[in-house]
Amino acid sequence: MSLRKFIVDWLDLRLGVRDLVEQNLTRYLLPRNINIWYSLGAVLLTLFGLQFLTGFLLLIYYVPDTTQAFASVKHITNEVPYGWLIRNTHAVGSNLIVVVLLLHMLSALFMSAYKKPRELTWLFGFILFNLTLALCLTGYLLPWSQLSFWATTVATEAPGAIPVVGEHVVRFLRGGAMVGEATLGRFFALHVMGLPLLFALMLGLHLFCVRRAGISRPPFGRDYRPAPKRHSFEHEYHPGGIPFFPNYAVKEGAVVCFFLALLAVLVFFAPNLFIPPAAFEPANPFVTPERIKPEWYFLWAYQTLKIFPSEAMGLAVQGAAMTFLALLPFIDRFSERRPARRPLFVGCFVLGILLFIGLSLWGHWS
Amino acid sequence: MDIKADDINRRRVLLGTLLGGLGAVLAAAGVYPVWRFLAPPATDEALDQVTLFRDQVPLGGAHFFNFRGRPAVIIQMRPGDFTAFSAVCTHLGCVVQWQAAEQRFLCPCHAGLFSADGAVIGGPPPRPLERLAVSLRDDRILVG
C-alpha cells in the first residue's frame, strides 16, 4: 500500500495526477438516466484495440506478395503456435466491430445525439464508420484467396459505372487493369499504415468532441426538457449525476466483457461463420468461383446495384443515401430529441433498418 | 444483526483478492498465446546434417554453407582432405574470409587471423575456430 502511495505521490507532484483523475473519472458526472447504449463507444475502443494488437502480431509472419500471401496466412493459421487464435480474432473481430458500430450509430440516431451542438461529433464518427468499412475491404484482399481476389475484383469494378472517369478510377484503385500484385501492394499499405493513421486522427477528433461538448442527456424520463437555444459554447454538465468512475465504468466494463465473451465464443466455436469456403482456396485469376457474394455488411449495396437498371444509377442512390446520413445533423435542425414526439423520424428510422435488413437478406438469398 | 467495520474490511480484502486473482488468470490467458506466437520455433538442431558434394569444394579453396542456422566453411587442403569450421569469428561474431594466397582465414572486423586448421595466428580472437565433424561417403561430404 505504501509503495502505491509513494508512486502516486511522486506522479502527483509532477503531473497532478490526482486532479486529473478527479476531473476525468471520479468527479466527472454523467446524466443519472444514462443507459447501456452509451457504453458501446467503450466496446468499440476495446475491439479496435484488439484489432490493432492482433494486426500488429499478424504482420510478423504475413508476406504481402501474391506468390506467398496465401501460404503465409496458411502458415500462420496452421503452424505458428496460437496463430489460429490471433488470425481468427482479427478476422471475426472485424465483423463484430461492424455489428457494434451499427448499434452505436443507431443509438446515436434514435436518441438524437447527433443534433446541435454535436454535429461535428457525428460527422467525425461517420468518417470513422467509412474508414472501418475501407479497413474491412482492404484487409479482405490480403490473404489472397479466391474470395479475396474476386470480392476485390467486384468491389473495385463498381466505380467503373461512374460516367467519364469510371475507368480511370478503377485502374487507379487496382494499380493496373486487373487485380494483381500492384493491388495487393497498395491495399496492404493502406490497411496497415494509411487507413490506421487516418483512423487514429479521426478517433482523436471524435473523442475530443465528445469530451469537450459533454455527454448528451438521454431524451427520456419525466424531467427531460429540450435544451434551450444556445448562442455560445457551453460544456454540458450534469449536476447530481453519477460519477463516471466507478459507477458507470463498472457498467461499461460489464458490456465490454459481454462483447469480448461473444467474440471468444465465435472465435472458438464458429470461426468460419463469416468466412465462406472460397476463403480456403488460393486466388486463381482465371477461375471465378460460383455464387460469389460480398461480406454481409456490403450485401445491401450489392443488392441495390442489382435492382437498379443501370449501375451508375445504383451507385448514385447509394452515394445519396450515405451523403444524407452524413449530413443529417445539418438537415434535421429541430431541437426536439424525444423519440415519442418525433413520429416522422422514428418512422423513417424503423423503415431504414427494415430496408437495410430486407436488402441484405434479398442479396443473401438471391 | 450489525456489521462491524472489521467485517467490511475483510470482505473488501476477499473481494479484492478474488478480483485480482481472476484478473491475473485472464491476463495470463491472454499473454501466454501471444508469447508462444512470438517465440522462435524450436528445432532439434543436433540432428541436422548437411550434405555437400566433393566437387563443390575446390582444391586449396573454401566453400561456405549454412550449418544449423549459422555460416560454416569447408576447405580442401590436400586432395580428399576436408576440414570444416564454423565461419563465425570467436572474437565478436563476424564471418571470416578465406585468403587462398596466404592459406589462412581473416576476420575483416578486427583483423583476426586463423590458420588453415583453425588456430589463432594473430589479432584479438580468444579461441580457435570451432571445428565441425566431417565424414566422407562416396562423392558426398557429410558435415555434423
Side-chain angles (χ1 to χ4, degrees):
Chain A
M1 230 27 181
S2 61
L3 177 70
R4 188 176 126 183
K5 189 176 169 330
F6 174 79
I7 294 171
V8 174
D9 281 345
W10 195 89
L11 285 174
D12 195 38
L13 190 71
R14 282 148 189 91
L15 302 170
V17 286
R18 285 202 173 89
D19 183 48
L20 269 180
V21 166
E22 272 190 8
Q23 271 185 33
N24 295 291
L25 301 174
T26 52
R27 285 209 190 146
Y28 174 43
L29 301 182
L30 304 181
R32 281 207 87 79
N33 63 340
I34 191 163
N35 56 41
I36 214 157
W37 294 90
Y38 279 68
S39 61
L40 292 177
V43 174
L44 283 169
L45 266 182
T46 311
L47 290 179
F48 273 115
L50 211 51
Q51 290 301 101
F52 183 80
L53 179 74
T54 50
F56 171 65
L57 288 172
L58 289 173
L59 267 180
I60 292 167
Y61 295 103
Y62 174 73
V63 186
D65 176 298
T66 51
T67 57
Q68 295 176 60
F70 188 79
S72 74
V73 173
K74 216 162 93 177
H75 171 70
I76 292 173
T77 318
N78 298 331
E79 283 155 47
V80 178
Y82 294 95
W84 58 272
L85 179 66
I86 308 294
R87 195 229 161 167
N88 286 339
T89 305
H90 197 72
V92 175
S94 69
N95 281 280
L96 194 60
I97 277 180
V98 179
V99 173
V100 181
L101 203 48
L102 289 175
L103 293 176
H104 186 53
M105 284 174 76
L106 286 179
S107 85
L109 278 175
F110 187 71
M111 296 189 272
S112 305
Y114 60 88
K115 288 198 165 188
K116 190 180 167 186
R118 296 187 176 80
E119 297 96 325
L120 290 174
T121 319
W122 172 263
L123 207 55
F124 290 132
F126 191 81
I127 296 171
L128 282 171
F129 172 62
N130 285 281
L131 285 173
T132 306
L133 293 182
L135 277 163
C136 286
L137 188 75
T138 49
Y140 218 57
L141 181 64
L142 304 188
W144 206 249
S145 66
Q146 273 291 68
L147 184 71
S148 310
F149 186 89
W150 294 102
T152 308
T153 300
V154 173
T156 50
E157 189 69 49
I162 301 169
V164 190
V165 292
E167 273 312 303
H168 297 284
V169 175
V170 173
R171 274 191 76 89
F172 184 80
L173 286 173
R174 290 180 180 168
M178 299 294 290
V179 173
E181 188 67 63
T183 325
L184 183 61
R186 54 185 61 204
F187 273 40
F188 175 69
L190 278 175
H191 189 74
V192 307
M193 194 72 195
L195 293 171
L197 275 180
L198 209 56
F199 189 92
L201 177 71
M202 284 298 143
L203 182 63
L205 289 170
H206 186 66
L207 293 179
F208 171 78
C209 289
V210 171
R211 195 66 188 78
R212 186 78 182 131
I215 294 290
S216 71
R217 186 186 298 277
F220 308 113
R222 216 171 297 156
D223 341 318
Y224 180 80
R225 297 279 173 278
K229 276 218 183 302
R230 284 183 197 150
H231 300 286
S232 59
F233 172 77
E234 203 180 309
H235 178 90
E236 190 169 340
Y237 287 103
H238 303 284
I242 57 169
F244 173 74
F245 186 86
N247 304 38
Y248 195 65
V250 168
K251 211 178 219 179
E252 232 170 29
V255 182
V256 168
C257 286
F258 170 79
F259 279 99
L260 286 180
L262 186 61
L263 178 64
V265 166
L266 289 173
V267 168
F268 284 97
F269 300 106
N272 299 336
L273 182 66
F274 301 110
I275 306 174
F280 301 106
E281 291 163 38
N284 182 351
F286 301 105
V287 181
T288 309
E290 279 177 53
R291 305 179 60 80
I292 191 99
K293 293 261 169 62
E295 303 101 296
W296 62 270
Y297 41 84
F298 286 133
L299 276 174
W300 68 275
Y302 162 83
Q303 191 57 29
T304 318
L305 284 184
K306 290 209 295 192
I307 294 169
F308 284 90
S310 89
E311 253 188 86
M313 205 191 282
L315 279 181
V317 169
Q318 281 173 27
M322 289 300 263
T323 310
F324 174 75
L325 209 53
L327 300 180
L328 186 61
F330 303 99
I331 298 165
D332 177 10
R333 296 164 64 91
F334 301 103
S335 59
E336 179 58 69
R337 291 180 49 214
R338 281 166 288 193
R341 297 184 186 214
R342 308 179 64 211
L344 180 65
F345 170 83
V346 174
C348 293
F349 177 81
V350 172
L351 273 179
I353 297 176
L354 289 179
L355 193 63
F356 176 84
I357 296 175
L359 280 173
S360 301
L361 287 178
W362 190 2
H364 180 74
W365 296 116
S366 66
Chain B
M1 181 174 141
D2 57 348
I3 303 161
K4 295 187 189 100
D6 244 19
D7 281 349
I8 291 177
N9 260 339
R10 278 178 46 217
R11 284 173 197 194
R12 285 245 160 115
V13 170
L14 177 70
L15 209 63
T17 314
L18 285 178
L19 271 177
L22 185 67
V25 168
L26 287 176
V31 168
Y32 179 72
V34 171
W35 180 71
R36 285 294 313 278
F37 183 84
L38 292 174
T43 48
D44 200 358
E45 286 185 339
L47 296 173
D48 283 354
Q49 239 184 3
V50 175
T51 307
L52 303 167
F53 290 94
R54 283 182 185 231
D55 52 11
Q56 283 180 289
V57 190
L59 187 61
H63 172 72
F64 285 81
F65 60 100
N66 192 340
F67 181 73
R68 294 175 187 169
R70 289 157 180 271
V73 59
I74 185 162
I75 52 174
Q76 184 179 195
M77 295 307 288
R78 281 176 298 280
D81 178 15
F82 296 95
T83 326
F85 300 100
S86 159
V88 179
C89 175
T90 53
H91 180 220
L92 289 174
C94 298
V95 171
V96 296
Q97 299 168 349
W98 173 247
Q99 296 187 299
E102 289 91 355
Q103 298 283 291
R104 64 182 187 187
F105 293 104
L106 163 75
C107 176
C109 288
H110 300 94
L113 287 173
F114 299 90
S115 68
D117 54 5
V120 180
I121 49 174
R127 287 185 312 278
L129 287 176
E130 189 197 331
R131 209 159 175 146
L132 307 174
V134 172
S135 54
L136 300 175
R137 196 169 297 162
D138 304 328
D139 62 336
R140 282 174 298 173
I141 311 165
L142 302 179
V143 183

